[in-house]
Amino acid sequence: MKRTRLVTSLLLAAAMTLSACGSKEAPASNAEPSAAEPATEEAGASSEASAETEAETSGEAEEKAPAELSGELTYWSMWNDTEPQGEAWAEIIDGFMAKYPNVKVNVQWCGRDNKKILKPALEGGETIDIFEYPLEIDLNDYIMDLTPYVDAEYDTTGGKTFRDTLLPSLLTTPQDMTGRTDIIPAIGYKPWISVFMYNGSIFEEAGVTAEPKTWEELDAACAKIKEAGYSPITFDDAYASWLPGMYLARAKGQDWVRELVKDTTGEMWQDEAVVNMAKAFEDFAAKGYFDANVGGNKWPSGQNDFGSSKVGMYYNLSGLPTEVADLTGPDFKWGGFSYPDVPGGLGTCGREDPAGCTMLAVNKNTADPELAMTFIAYAFSAENDALMVEKAGITPATLDTPYPAALVNIKPAFEAVEVSLKSGGDIGSNPDVAPTISENFIKLASGQITADEFVANMAAATKQ
């Protein structure tokens, strides 16, 4: 498979009137443009003069026809062709082949079995040019560094580099997700982020005019929402640990949280940061900031209470609007803000948040990386990104693509992320301890235990 550029030469013929076929300069791409082939034949003085006259008339001594691609690509998809994401991809692929008739794109619709069958196929040397990278497995031996390709222009990027059209986190998040921070291992799409999702109508009614950026501002917002007759915050059992986990991540960083949940001495659970976190939530519970049902909420009870406009805030993923759409209806005013900074913390609000995406990677063994990346740039053009948003209801990947109405107020949070964290600051990374954290935090938030009891319970449970 080779990328080819059609070049129109000036044809000179003796004793014939010269005619030229005009064409425009080919759009910029990631490949070095081929040198135009100038007219080299000479057929006497009269023919040479005619050629010069024609060149002056056209304003160009050399001409190029639009760039064309040829070749074949094989794309392994994590979608089924019958689901909305697959249908959107099928339309994009058909559009790419229509734009470049000499290119064929083969699709393997793997569905979620992609994480089971992709690695054996790659190990077996099967032809796979582009694939969705399943986070559950390590495929770093097969990925190509996309850095030089994202810093290039394509005919679908509007005169910008591919990098400059994308949400910045969609280049950094794959690095964090794969651990390959030395390269760009994949292009992200279908981004998600964990934020405090809120009901804008409740905020307005309660007089909360600005999204909280500090714990003190969150406290003040909760007080106003409670005064207006609503429960300020709710959560479900499935996500209970995310609230204390992010407090600790704001206080001491995600790496410290990972050490905390692996500690087998029980001593780290008595650290000042844990004590402060427990007392902060004990205070919220005492002030009535948590919905009365949090002690017994089983997913999706809490999010349904939020969707029914009984509660002002719910810390969760940005995909929440889709999950409660039947409850909220089209007029629900969605908002979302980064987990606030905490007293004495690192000041990472708005810069570090749990975020992720679906990752599209290029096999380092592909026969035509330029063709593969031209396809990816086409797939993530503003036009096709809008198609994805409309057909599949996903969050945009490109900066210029309008957000769905439900998520437009969360766009600043997406664009601000510089470091992608794991959900809850990775507080659930030790499966042996995670249930105990959730159980005790639920008791703390519902007023069943005190902050001191929370700390004592966790220290005892993790001491070996």
Side-chain angles (χ1 to χ4, degrees):
M1 295 182 286
K2 293 184 178 180
R3 179 178 181 132
T4 61
R5 187 179 297 273
L6 299 182
V7 181
T8 303
S9 300
L10 294 176
L11 300 179
L12 305 180
M16 294 181 64
T17 302
L18 180 67
S19 64
C21 184
S23 63
K24 296 181 179 179
E25 181 72 19
S29 73
N30 58 297
E32 288 290 331
S34 301
E37 297 174 2
T40 55
E41 294 186 38
E42 296 183 3
S46 60
S47 296
E48 187 172 354
S50 298
E52 291 175 355
T53 301
E54 184 67 23
E56 291 173 358
T57 302
S58 65
E60 297 182 25
E62 302 171 356
E63 295 181 341
K64 300 176 184 178
E68 287 204 6
L69 299 177
S70 66
E72 189 169 345
L73 290 173
T74 299
Y75 157 50
W76 276 44
S77 172
M78 65 168 284
W79 309 110
N80 296 302
D81 57 354
T82 54
E83 58 186 325
Q85 293 91 338
E87 292 174 352
W89 270 110
E91 189 168 336
I92 289 169
I93 290 165
D94 288 345
F96 186 73
M97 290 192 292
K99 181 178 177 68
Y100 301 107
N102 295 323
V103 175
K104 180 180 181 182
V105 180
N106 306 303
V107 188
Q108 180 73 32
W109 301 106
C110 303
R112 304 315 177 267
D113 286 339
N114 192 43
K115 61 185 177 184
K116 301 177 182 178
I117 63 178
L118 177 58
K119 189 169 185 178
L122 288 167
E123 291 174 340
E126 188 163 344
T127 299
I128 302 173
D129 300 291
I130 302 168
F131 58 88
E132 260 116 3
Y133 192 126
L135 187 59
E136 297 88 345
I137 57 178
D138 181 1
L139 297 178
N140 283 349
D141 288 341
Y142 299 96
I143 56 177
M144 184 177 75
D145 183 7
L146 305 183
T147 304
Y149 298 95
V150 301
D151 288 326
E153 296 179 10
Y154 298 82
D155 60 0
T156 53
T157 56
K160 301 177 181 178
T161 65
F162 189 27
R163 179 192 296 273
D164 289 338
T165 68
L166 294 171
L167 196 69
S169 63
L170 295 182
L171 297 178
T172 58
T173 298
Q175 293 177 317
D176 296 330
M177 293 172 73
T178 62
R180 290 301 306 272
T181 57
D182 55 323
I183 64 173
I184 294 179
I187 306 297
Y189 75 98
K190 195 177 179 287
W192 57 263
I193 189 173
S194 289
V195 291
F196 265 104
M197 306 292 290
Y198 68 87
N199 185 323
S201 296
I202 291 179
F203 267 46
E204 290 176 6
E205 183 180 340
V208 180
T209 57
E211 296 174 347
K213 292 181 172 57
T214 67
W215 197 257
E216 294 79 9
E217 291 173 356
L218 179 62
D219 188 339
C222 287
K224 290 181 178 180
I225 292 170
K226 184 174 183 293
E227 180 66 23
Y230 301 93
S231 295
I233 301 173
T234 193
F235 59 84
D236 283 303
D237 60 329
Y239 311 111
S241 66
W242 289 5
L243 286 167
M246 278 304 298
Y247 189 106
L248 295 172
R250 288 285 185 254
K252 303 196 75 166
Q254 180 171 262
D255 288 343
W256 188 88
V257 175
R258 288 169 171 165
E259 292 179 16
L260 171 70
V261 298
K262 293 177 182 177
D263 176 54
T264 58
T265 68
E267 294 180 4
M268 288 188 69
W269 283 98
Q270 301 175 62
D271 187 273
E272 182 181 11
V274 178
V275 174
N276 290 341
M277 176 275 294
K279 288 189 177 298
F281 284 112
E282 179 186 51
D283 178 57
F284 272 28
K287 292 176 177 175
Y289 290 171
F290 288 111
D291 184 70
N293 295 327
V294 295
N297 273 351
K298 301 294 182 183
W299 183 88
S301 298
Q303 71 177 39
N304 287 344
D305 285 340
F306 174 79
S308 299
S309 296
K310 298 176 182 178
V311 184
M313 289 175 278
Y314 185 102
Y315 186 74
N316 206 269
L317 302 177
S318 52
L320 183 63
T322 301
E323 295 189 17
V324 296
D326 290 342
L327 294 170
T328 58
D331 297 327
F332 192 93
K333 293 184 179 180
W334 285 95
F337 58 90
S338 175
Y339 197 103
D341 283 325
V342 302
L346 302 176
T348 55
C349 172
R351 296 190 293 108
E352 298 185 9
D353 279 298
C357 56
T358 300
M359 298 185 291
L360 202 63
V362 176
N363 187 350
K364 70 178 184 181
N365 297 317
T366 182
D368 197 335
E370 292 180 354
L371 179 59
M373 282 303 302
T374 302
F375 170 72
I376 291 175
Y378 173 84
F380 296 144
S381 65
E383 179 181 358
N384 286 321
D385 195 32
L387 171 67
M388 279 277 194
V389 172
E390 178 185 359
K391 294 270 187 180
I394 67 175
T395 313
T398 58
L399 292 170
D400 296 332
T401 302
Y403 270 53
L407 294 177
V408 68
N409 292 330
I410 307 174
K411 184 179 180 182
F414 273 106
E415 295 179 343
V417 175
E418 298 175 7
V419 177
S420 300
L421 306 179
K422 300 292 185 180
S423 294
D426 218 14
I427 198 169
S429 56
N430 184 346
D432 295 331
V433 177
T436 305
I437 300 172
S438 293
E439 176 188 352
N440 279 276
F441 181 75
I442 291 171
K443 290 179 178 179
L444 176 64
S446 58
Q448 299 176 50
I449 62 174
T450 65
D452 290 340
E453 288 173 325
F454 175 90
V455 172
N457 290 349
M458 289 308 307
T462 55
K463 184 176 182 180
Q464 296 181 2

